[in-house]
Amino acid sequence: MSLFVTAAKDVFSEIGFLDLSVTDSTFAAEHAEIVSSLGIVGDLQGYFVLRGDRESVYNFVSKILSNMGMDSEGEEFGQFHKEAVGEIVNQVSGRAVMMLAEQGYDCNITPPTILMGNNIQIDMKTLETHVTRDIRGPYGTIGIFAGIKKMK
């Protein structure tokens, strides 16, 4: 499960967030306003979820836009922002799946799903193991969850 945390830290650092702290999650459901998740299929099955409050996720996506020479100041959290969050989930999960392949697991990822609302809660009791962490940086706090069960 630590591979997902490592993958998230690597991707966040590549975006330009170098001063990160990773802690056990204290991220309460009432702060989950934007959730992006995707499935993991193959030798392992499960989910990877990124969640955050609107301001933290907006700040995170604004850094991505800035890296691309674009300005998001004054824009609402629109379609492009949602797609960027989905792409981050793709990148983190894709990297984790590559690391799992190095350990002999054959896995793939599904397309991401993005949810927006208030008090979004996740209940995945069928998973054998999971990890939940908060990654804090200059954007705010983004929580990650990865849970899997072995199929082989």
Side-chain angles (χ1 to χ4, degrees), residues 90-108:
N90 271 334
Q91 288 183 25
V92 171
S93 298
R95 184 158 312 181
V97 165
M98 288 188 323
M99 289 188 252
L100 287 168
E102 293 171 0
Q103 295 184 8
Y105 293 100
D106 183 22
C107 298
N108 286 307

Side-chain angles (χ1 to χ4, degrees), residues 2-152:
S2 65
L3 294 178
F4 287 91
V5 177
T6 299
K9 287 174 33 181
D10 290 349
V11 170
F12 286 26
S13 293
E14 289 170 8
I15 292 169
F17 296 115
L18 303 176
D19 187 21
L20 300 172
S21 69
V22 179
T23 59
D24 288 341
S25 183
T26 57
F27 196 86
E30 63 266 15
H31 298 129
E33 297 173 312
I34 298 170
V35 173
S36 181
S37 67
L38 58 69
I40 301 158
V41 296
D43 292 346
L44 303 172
Q45 289 190 355
Y47 302 92
F48 177 74
V49 178
L50 182 145
R51 65 183 184 164
D53 62 87
R54 185 178 290 266
E55 181 179 356
S56 293
V57 176
Y58 182 86
N59 291 340
F60 190 89
V61 171
S62 292
K63 176 65 172 170
I64 296 169
L65 291 173
S66 174
N67 290 350
M68 295 169 40
M70 299 170 68
D71 185 18
S72 68
E73 194 171 318
E75 289 186 32
E76 293 292 320
F77 198 92
Q79 188 63 34
F80 181 81
H81 294 83
K82 293 175 195 174
E83 291 172 8
V85 172
E87 181 56 29
I88 294 304
V89 170
N90 271 334
Q91 288 183 25
V92 171
S93 298
R95 184 158 312 181
V97 165
M98 288 188 323
M99 289 188 252
L100 287 168
E102 293 171 0
Q103 295 184 8
Y105 293 100
D106 183 22
C107 298
N108 286 307
I109 57 176
T110 67
T113 300
I114 293 135
L115 304 170
M116 294 179 64
N118 294 316
N119 302 322
I120 301 171
Q121 298 186 33
I122 302 166
D123 184 11
M124 299 184 188
K125 294 179 180 167
T126 61
L127 303 171
E128 294 170 358
T129 184
H130 72 276
V131 62
T132 306
R133 296 288 185 270
D134 288 339
I135 302 178
R136 289 182 177 84
Y139 50 82
T141 301
I142 291 180
I144 61 169
F145 168 90
I148 57 170
K149 64 180 177 180
K150 291 182 182 178
M151 298 311 290
K152 282 183 153 182

